[in-house]
Amino acid sequence: MHGLRDALEQSQKDGVAIGHFNVADWVLLKAVLASGQELKVPVVVGASEGKREFIGVRQIAALVRSVREECDYPIFLNADHTHSLPKAVEAAKAGFDAIVFDLSALPFEQNVRQTKEAIEAIKTINSAILVEGEIGDIGTGSEIHEKAPDLSRGLTSPAEAKQFVESTGVDILAPAVGNMHGMLKSMVQGQTRKRLDIERIAQIKSAVQVPLTLHGGSGTDDEDLRKAIAAGINIIHINTELRVAWRRGLEEGLGKQPREVVPYKILPFAVESVKKVARSRLKLFNADR
Ligand SMILES: [Zn+2]
């Protein structure tokens, strides 16, 4: 099995992006993995600190490993938004393929210094693991927000991106290019879409030589996502859209069977609902394959 680095290189050559989907339970994981398998495209399963705490760090790693052994398409596991070195070390030891080491809330210099130190520590545990660093402001949680935060001042500049990549040695960069964690109510209702700064993505791509990740992809305009991939985005994160689908599917399963108590008769509705979203996003990221 080739590693994530190879998969990223291949995606860059093919002009496609790898879908990154956050999972917090077996329903989400099952749906994401089934989508990748159906389309025969690589997927990255993401678990941030809160989700790792819920499922168990070693347990999610074991689940992904066991599925990986039985399938013929690449599955990778990413420790999403990790805010401290001990949490990063824990994920590296459990066998994660990548870690998003996110100190973007700190001042730039501090972010650089601590990210560099963390990379050294993480690579001594597993030299093949990829570490992603983050600069700029892309908002907080992957939830439904009442109103749009002003992220305009936190956009990543190409010069800053270059300096950050060169002085930290990150394998992957997550810039702020108009993207935002979570969705607005109007986005969930389908009335508005997020728009991206495509020009900025292209400028950052030519300033740095590493793969780029787009966080907060949920609710983004389809055409903007296609353009972002063409401009150099290699990984796209989808979380909130899956959460919305998970809840809707669960409600459908409960609503259609008001007296049912058997989990494996209720939960397949949630799996199907999440699968529909993951599949359509993967199709888009992989040039409508
Ligand atoms: Zn994120």
Side-chain angles (χ1 to χ4, degrees):
M1 162 94 57
H2 292 296
L4 179 56
R5 194 182 290 279
D6 298 317
L8 284 166
E9 271 173 30
Q10 193 59 48
S11 74
Q12 179 70 40
K13 273 184 214 149
D14 296 345
V16 300
I18 300 177
H20 175 293
F21 301 97
N22 293 72
V23 305
D25 70 357
W26 179 241
V27 166
L28 286 150
L29 184 58
K30 205 174 154 87
V32 167
L33 296 179
S35 309
Q37 184 146 39
E38 266 179 38
L39 298 169
K40 297 271 178 262
V41 294
V43 290
V44 182
V45 170
S48 55
E49 287 182 359
K51 298 177 197 101
R52 270 148 40 209
E53 206 164 295
F54 182 69
I55 312 181
V57 180
R58 295 181 58 226
Q59 285 65 36
I60 176 78
L63 276 173
V64 170
R65 201 176 307 126
S66 79
V67 177
R68 189 187 271 174
E69 282 163 8
E70 287 180 350
C71 69
D72 54 358
Y73 73 101
I75 307 167
F76 303 104
L77 181 60
N78 176 43
D80 205 12
H81 297 288
T82 303
H83 302 289
S84 74
L85 186 53
K87 295 277 184 197
V89 165
E90 195 184 24
K93 284 187 176 160
F96 280 61
D97 302 286
I99 295 177
V100 174
F101 196 68
D102 177 9
L103 299 184
S104 59
L106 293 181
F108 187 79
E109 299 302 331
Q110 248 170 291
N111 184 358
V112 166
R113 196 176 61 245
Q114 291 185 32
T115 300
K116 186 171 189 278
E117 285 167 8
I119 292 170
E120 281 162 19
I122 293 164
K123 301 264 180 175
T124 58
I125 297 165
N126 172 11
S127 60
I129 202 165
L130 299 187
V131 182
E132 177 176 321
E134 189 171 321
I135 44 173
D137 186 5
I138 47 179
T140 51
S142 296
E143 291 147 18
I144 314 298
H145 303 298
E146 286 292 328
K147 57 177 189 182
D150 178 22
L151 302 174
S152 59
R153 277 179 300 163
L155 292 171
T156 305
S157 77
E160 218 175 31
K162 187 175 156 67
Q163 197 193 337
F164 184 78
V165 170
E166 285 175 0
S167 34
T168 57
V170 286
D171 300 296
I172 303 168
L173 177 70
V177 289
N179 47 329
M180 174 194 93
H181 283 130
M183 291 168 83
L184 302 179
K185 257 189 187 165
S186 57
M187 290 171 182
V188 177
Q189 289 155 356
Q191 293 154 353
T192 59
R193 311 294 283 168
K194 286 178 205 168
R195 304 304 306 263
L196 301 170
D197 190 338
I198 306 297
E199 186 57 36
R200 189 178 293 270
I201 295 170
Q203 286 167 355
I204 292 170
K205 190 69 176 184
S206 62
V208 301
Q209 307 304 318
V210 297
L212 299 180
T213 298
L214 183 80
H215 280 253
S218 290
T220 307
D221 180 71
D222 284 5
E223 204 43 44
D224 274 17
L225 287 172
R226 286 194 190 94
K227 286 182 193 160
I229 296 166
I233 290 290
N234 302 94
I235 301 173
I236 301 176
H237 282 222
I238 298 290
N239 188 5
T240 316
E241 283 181 10
L242 297 194
R243 288 176 162 180
V244 170
W246 176 88
R247 190 187 166 105
R248 283 179 181 161
L250 192 59
E251 282 173 349
E252 191 194 345
L254 292 168
K256 281 191 175 160
Q257 314 166 94
R259 293 176 173 278
E260 190 55 76
V261 295
V262 180
Y264 60 75
K265 291 183 181 170
I266 299 167
L267 296 175
F269 287 87
V271 173
E272 262 321 300
S273 175
V274 173
K275 216 165 107 182
K276 224 188 242 173
V277 174
R279 200 168 36 206
S280 86
R281 283 326 206 173
L282 276 176
K283 270 191 184 160
L284 179 87
F285 302 161
N286 288 279
D288 297 311
R289 195 157 138 184

